[in-house]
Amino acid sequence: MNAAIGQLIGVGVGPGDPELMTLKAVRALGAADVIAHFAKAGNNSHARGIACAHFRPDAEELPLLYPVTTEIHRHDAAYRLAIGAFYDESAARVAEHLMAGRTVAVLSEGDPLFYGSYMHLHVRLAHRFPTTVIPGVTGMSGCWSQAGAPIAQGDDVLMVLPGTLSEEDLTRRLAQADAAVIMKVGRNLPKIRRALAAAGRLPRALYAERGTMSDGFVMPLADRPDDKAPYFAIVLVPGWEGTA
Amino acid sequence: MNAAIGQLIGVGVGPGDPELMTLKAVRALGAADVIAHFAKAGNNSHARGIACAHFRPDAEELPLLYPVTTEIHRHDAAYRLAIGAFYDESAARVAEHLMAGRTVAVLSEGDPLFYGSYMHLHVRLAHRFPTTVIPGVTGMSGCWSQAGAPIAQGDDVLMVLPGTLSEEDLTRRLAQADAAVIMKVGRNLPKIRRALAAAGRLPRALYAERGTMSDGFVMPLADRPDDKAPYFAIVLVPGWEGTA
């Protein structure tokens, strides 16, 4: 192995509260030569905001800015081409640093291999460079902890469902789950509410925004109006009612 | 509110590597008056082993030792009575410290509200005492990170399934999942393997033991013989093949 080759580290920075970073993530960021983070063009990286207090003072930052594709539907071939090219180019920029012997930490909100952008670099680079993944506390754990809502116990089946599923599919799956987490809420909220009601799961469902962040909150979904919800809001359906 | 009442803190200590504790967990343990941990009688608490370097030197430890119930099936009424009485008594012991104004941290491997024993205290005490839950990195995150296996992406449906389900039920659910985590492997391993094969998911399935611990390992399930597996082993079925 070429001793001059650098190491790739996928770093989970947790759900939002900087105190929910792991000791391992903090140490990795204090040692990394280069710190890469994904963001939408014109926005700050959330992950950077969580973790920046721990960057090595002379570390080089590598912002990876998503192309603007709001005009294109995400199942469209043009979208897939644009986003694929973006990940290819991002991986090439990271690889350049690794080839020069620099350690590159890639920030990931929550856990890197659980629905994270880091995965797109991982599949392009992990077979070529020494790679470590530092797991993190997921956004969903942050939300159910903030709510104090036991999510699953014993023989419970827990489903993680994207809010993008059809109403019929959501309803059918919710009826078969003991506990559920619905991600990608955003404009899917009215559909998610109808599916929960049809599956008999609306009464216990919770709506969470920015769990563990200073402005985060959790409330019964039944009390939440059907107006605009952010894409990263999640809905929790606790499965366990606490009978021992 | 009575100023003399103590605080209950459910502390997730992560999947095994002490470096995967959060800053928040470390600080909470350094301040707690009493540290409670569950263990089987005659065994050490795994969670205690992960976290003990951070206990306040003069903290009082409160071991909560499960009654020996191996002779009784866990769906048996006698088992449920014995285990319910144990949790009632454990909650009473914790409550005594809280009433005396002491902060009590209850250790939990992984995340406290995700299949953790702490939940049995939470449902008995959180409505009576000020309570905080500190989320942790789950065992499953530890395992897929150690394996470097992206578990779910985009619109993937992820299911967390107990290995105790029937072979028919496991097969049916695995066929409907993009990604899956199967917990409580132990003597269910041969059945889990048959269900994965029937659902066409065996080739990519991974077997993990003690993920992130110094003696932990991950291997293709297809290469793992069907002999004795520990109860806390897990099986991962990654959902995402990395096509951007």
Side-chain angles (χ1 to χ4, degrees):
Chain A
M1 194 161 88
N2 188 336
I5 281 184
Q7 196 192 5
L8 173 65
I9 313 182
V11 179
V13 301
D17 179 349
E19 287 279 289
L20 291 175
M21 292 181 65
T22 64
L23 301 175
K24 196 164 194 163
V26 167
R27 281 192 236 275
L29 295 179
D33 301 305
V34 178
I35 295 177
H37 37 77
F38 286 95
K40 285 184 192 163
N43 286 55
N44 291 320
S45 157
H46 286 141
R48 184 188 186 284
I50 294 167
C52 59
H54 303 288
F55 294 176
R56 210 179 77 190
D58 63 336
E60 180 175 338
E61 291 194 45
L62 178 61
L64 303 169
L65 301 178
Y66 282 102
V68 178
T69 54
T70 47
E71 306 283 295
I72 320 175
H73 190 276
R74 76 195 163 79
H75 288 303
D76 207 284
Y79 173 85
R80 296 178 69 90
L81 264 180
I83 204 82
F86 165 67
Y87 289 128
D88 286 345
E89 189 208 316
S90 299
R93 292 175 67 194
V94 169
E96 212 170 291
H97 286 290
L98 295 170
M99 292 299 292
R102 297 183 199 108
T103 298
V104 182
V106 181
L107 304 185
S108 192
E109 277 185 89
D111 180 81
L113 298 179
F114 183 74
Y115 301 95
S117 296
Y118 162 75
M119 294 159 75
H120 297 281
L121 299 180
H122 186 86
V123 295
R124 286 168 171 82
L125 298 170
H127 58 288
R128 295 170 51 200
F129 299 97
T131 300
T132 301
V133 179
I134 302 177
V137 174
T138 59
M140 63 185 187
S141 279
C143 289
W144 64 57
S145 297
Q146 180 159 351
I151 192 77
Q153 183 59 276
D155 288 346
D156 280 348
V157 169
L158 169 71
M159 291 192 196
V160 181
L161 303 169
T164 47
L165 293 178
S166 72
E167 184 171 339
E168 191 189 343
D169 203 5
L170 271 177
T171 305
R172 185 177 54 84
R173 291 178 185 269
L174 285 167
Q176 293 174 7
D178 298 301
V181 176
I182 308 174
M183 325 253 283
K184 302 189 179 184
V185 171
R187 59 185 166 184
N188 299 301
L189 183 56
K191 175 182 66 182
I192 292 167
R193 186 190 306 275
R194 290 192 302 270
L196 284 162
R201 309 306 292 270
L202 188 55
R204 299 189 72 213
L206 300 169
Y207 172 91
E209 265 185 36
R210 298 182 297 280
T212 83
M213 293 186 210
S214 53
D215 59 348
F217 65 93
V218 184
M219 64 188 291
L221 178 58
D223 298 344
R224 168 76 167 76
D226 249 352
D227 53 8
K228 216 177 156 192
Y231 183 73
F232 282 111
I234 71 173
V235 169
L236 303 172
V237 185
W240 188 64
E241 305 202 36
T243 47
Chain B
M1 195 161 90
N2 188 336
I5 281 184
Q7 196 192 4
L8 173 65
I9 313 181
V11 180
V13 301
D17 179 349
E19 288 279 289
L20 291 174
M21 291 181 64
T22 64
L23 301 176
K24 196 164 194 162
V26 168
R27 281 191 236 275
L29 295 180
D33 301 304
V34 178
I35 295 177
H37 36 77
F38 286 95
K40 285 184 193 163
N43 287 54
N44 292 319
S45 156
H46 286 140
R48 184 188 186 285
I50 295 168
C52 59
H54 303 289
F55 294 176
R56 211 179 76 191
D58 63 336
E60 180 174 340
E61 290 194 46
L62 179 61
L64 303 169
L65 301 177
Y66 281 103
V68 178
T69 54
T70 47
E71 305 282 295
I72 321 175
H73 190 277
R74 75 193 165 77
H75 287 304
D76 208 284
Y79 173 85
R80 296 178 70 91
L81 263 180
I83 204 80
F86 164 67
Y87 289 128
D88 287 344
E89 189 207 314
S90 299
R93 292 176 67 194
V94 170
E96 212 170 293
H97 285 291
L98 295 170
M99 291 299 292
R102 298 183 198 109
T103 297
V104 181
V106 181
L107 304 184
S108 193
E109 278 185 88
D111 180 82
L113 298 180
F114 183 74
Y115 301 96
S117 295
Y118 162 75
M119 293 159 76
H120 296 281
L121 299 180
H122 186 86
V123 295
R124 286 169 172 81
L125 297 170
H127 58 288
R128 294 171 51 200
F129 299 98
T131 300
T132 302
V133 179
I134 302 176
V137 174
T138 60
M140 63 185 190
S141 280
C143 289
W144 65 57
S145 298
Q146 180 158 351
I151 191 77
Q153 183 59 276
D155 288 345
D156 280 347
V157 170
L158 169 70
M159 291 194 196
V160 181
L161 303 169
T164 47
L165 293 177
S166 73
E167 184 170 339
E168 191 189 342
D169 202 6
L170 271 177
T171 305
R172 184 176 54 84
R173 290 178 186 268
L174 285 167
Q176 293 174 7
D178 298 300
V181 177
I182 307 175
M183 325 252 283
K184 302 189 179 185
V185 171
R187 58 186 169 183
N188 299 301
L189 182 57
K191 175 182 66 183
I192 292 167
R193 187 191 306 276
R194 290 193 302 271
L196 283 162
R201 309 305 292 271
L202 188 55
R204 300 189 71 213
L206 300 170
Y207 171 91
E209 266 184 36
R210 299 181 297 279
T212 83
M213 294 184 210
S214 53
D215 59 348
F217 65 92
V218 183
M219 63 188 292
L221 179 58
D223 297 344
R224 169 75 167 76
D226 249 352
D227 53 9
K228 217 177 153 191
Y231 183 73
F232 283 110
I234 71 173
V235 168
L236 302 172
V237 185
W240 189 63
E241 305 201 36
T243 49

